[in-house]
Amino acid sequence: MSFLKQSIALPSGRIELDLPDGVHVPSPSTVELAGLLDVQPGERVLELGCGSGLLSIAAARLGARESVAVDIDPLALETTLFNARANGVEDVVTVLEGSWYEAVSDLEQAPFDVIIAVAPQTPAFSDIGPRYGGRYGTDHLFSIIDGAGDHLEPGGGRLWLLVISLADVGAVMNRLRNLFCDVRLLKTSKRFFSREEYEGLARGLFNYLLNLRREGKASFEVCDDGTCHFRNYFIRAANNRL
């Protein structure tokens, strides 16, 4: 098995990652999210969909007393443990196999102070694999938002999400505001893409995205030279209403 090495500079220090074939390389937006986290010393953190373990390791570096990393892929969990050891936080990072909150349903512990999630959210008219997020890109995001209240510390708990503007961001924000008193968009950034990239996922997908844009369910720009870009939205929700 071949490995890609990645060195990432964050405010809390540099993180070194070993990434085997089959484990998603952290995107620039995930690195941006890692640099925004407000984890405080002594807090418990849950990362849903850990991949390489970057966000869980970043939380540990910020002083989390426990950082629980969840993924459905055993290789991602193995990689997260390896990277946690390589970065000196193996005593803080725990891995659990499962889908979203199912993995922590049996934990008999206090709620988490912070939940972090970067979910699959590419909209599609059919299941196109791991990047699929349902018809409007919101299926997994809604599951994470709806379950957060049962797993967050009352009052001070925070949910961090990365949401792309190909998904129905308005519906996501409405869902968050129905469940949290304090919902903040802290940053946006551009992500460039091409028609060919999404047609490579599923034939007709780019036209489907164009239709969603006409319906106001997606937002992206198509430039004169044919390149496109959507927005990354970095969102923090706090003070659960339930």
Side-chain angles (χ1 to χ4, degrees), residues 90-232:
E90 66 271 24
D91 293 337
V92 177
V93 177
T94 302
V95 300
L96 294 173
E97 184 175 352
S99 176
W100 307 136
Y101 299 109
E102 293 174 5
V104 296
S105 60
D106 294 332
L107 287 184
E108 296 181 0
Q109 301 182 50
F112 294 94
D113 299 287
V114 180
I115 296 174
I116 311 164
V118 180
Q121 51 194 284
T122 297
F125 44 80
S126 62
D127 190 343
I128 58 173
R131 298 183 66 176
Y132 173 69
R135 184 178 179 188
Y136 299 115
T138 56
D139 286 5
H140 297 303
L141 292 167
F142 284 172
S143 294
I144 291 165
I145 294 167
D146 293 348
D150 293 331
H151 298 88
L152 277 175
E153 188 70 36
R158 287 97 67 204
L159 172 64
W160 281 87
L161 293 176
L162 169 61
V163 182
I164 64 174
S165 67
L166 295 183
D168 189 346
V169 178
V172 172
M173 294 298 284
N174 287 338
R175 193 78 154 231
L176 285 167
R177 288 172 177 141
N178 284 336
L179 297 174
F180 292 89
C181 297
D182 183 6
V183 179
R184 302 187 187 187
L185 173 60
L186 297 182
K187 182 181 180 180
T188 70
S189 63
K190 288 183 181 180
R191 200 287 212 180
F192 287 90
F193 69 99
S194 66
R195 176 190 297 265
E196 292 73 21
E197 177 183 354
Y198 283 86
E199 285 297 299
L201 293 174
R203 186 176 180 180
L205 180 56
F206 186 79
N207 284 335
Y208 179 70
L209 295 176
L210 288 173
N211 288 334
L212 290 181
R213 188 175 70 161
R214 283 191 287 268
E215 295 172 10
K217 301 293 187 180
S219 175
F220 60 94
E221 299 295 327
V222 180
C223 304
D224 292 339
D225 62 1
T227 61
C228 311
H229 68 264
F230 59 76
R231 305 294 301 187
N232 299 306

Side-chain angles (χ1 to χ4, degrees), residues 65-86:
R65 64 180 170 89
E66 184 179 17
S67 189
V68 178
V70 169
D71 207 290
I72 60 173
D73 182 2
L75 181 57
L77 300 178
E78 180 182 337
T79 301
T80 294
L81 281 179
F82 180 91
N83 287 327
R85 286 192 296 269

